[in-house]
Amino acid sequence: MNRIVLFAFGTSFLLVGLVGLFLAVGYFQDSKFHAETSEWLKAEPEEIWAYITDVNDLPNRRKEVVAIKILETRADGIIQKWEETPDMGGYMIFELRESIPNKLWKIELTDASFKMRGSWTYSLERKIPGTVVTITEDSEITSVPVRGAYFLAGRDATLQKEMELIRNRFSGR
């Protein structure tokens, strides 16, 4: 019986320690983050533009997005505001902040159940034959546990994954 109690106590102590370490890592991470990544792709800006601005297709190309709900559409038919439902539950509300066709698309995460906010700017620059794609992320995570999780996953994981998706879509040309 004493071994069982000692084992239970030891396991509990270890788990509490790991959770404490995880929270400490999140606590000491900067809440604000800025990074950018660029890549030359052998595709026209118009093709890349059509891909990155197709909000309705997000669940088909990003496995973590299970649903999209359009909240606002401009008079010209461009989606202004939408809600993403991630595979882990919750919600993320994005708004279009700036749009220059085939050149610049800036979206902002205005509300999320994960206590995150931020903006992602996609810049397209024609470099014949092809396009230089630059994605810039400016984000903030106020939740200590979420900062801890992003530290473990890599704070730039979302940015790198987005560039990977674009690269994979237009590679092999």
Side-chain angles (χ1 to χ4, degrees), residues 20-35:
L21 179 62
F22 175 77
L23 292 174
V25 165
Y27 180 78
F28 287 108
Q29 294 302 307
D30 191 352
S31 65
K32 295 185 181 199
F33 178 73
H34 170 84

Side-chain angles (χ1 to χ4, degrees), residues 52-118:
I52 63 175
T53 61
D54 189 355
V55 173
N56 287 309
D57 190 49
L58 288 173
N60 295 323
R61 63 180 193 242
R62 289 181 37 209
K63 65 179 180 169
E64 73 277 6
V65 179
V66 296
I68 295 291
K69 179 180 178 185
I70 305 304
L71 303 175
E72 286 180 30
T73 304
R74 295 187 332 199
D76 59 4
I78 293 178
I79 296 170
Q80 182 66 39
K81 187 176 184 178
W82 67 94
E83 180 180 318
E84 294 181 12
T85 303
D87 58 1
M88 61 183 140
Y91 66 91
M92 301 172 88
I93 296 177
F94 288 90
E95 289 188 46
L96 177 61
R97 291 295 185 216
E98 190 173 354
S99 179
I100 303 171
N102 307 318
K103 293 189 184 302
L104 185 125
W105 196 59
K106 182 176 183 176
I107 60 173
E108 184 175 340
L109 174 61
T110 58
D111 190 19
S113 55
F114 309 105
K115 298 186 179 178
M116 298 169 57
R117 296 198 187 276

Side-chain angles (χ1 to χ4, degrees), residues 19 27 39 46 55 58 77 84 95 120-121 130 138 154 159 163 167-169:
V19 168
Y27 180 78
E39 200 161 316
E46 296 81 7
V55 173
L58 288 173
E84 294 181 12
E95 289 188 46
W120 288 262
T121 304
D138 286 295
L159 183 65
M163 184 59 83
R167 177 186 330 111
N168 290 345
R169 171 65 177 85

Side-chain angles (χ1 to χ4, degrees), residues 113-155:
S113 55
F114 309 105
K115 298 186 179 178
M116 298 169 57
R117 296 198 187 276
S119 67
W120 288 262
T121 304
Y122 298 75
S123 300
L124 307 177
E125 181 183 353
R126 186 181 304 274
K127 290 285 185 186
I128 297 176
T131 304
V132 174
V133 178
T134 302
I135 308 172
T136 306
E137 176 181 345
D138 286 295
S139 58
E140 181 177 14
I141 302 173
T142 57
S143 168
V144 170
V146 174
R147 277 200 311 261
Y150 265 85
F151 173 79
L152 294 176
R155 188 68 192 261

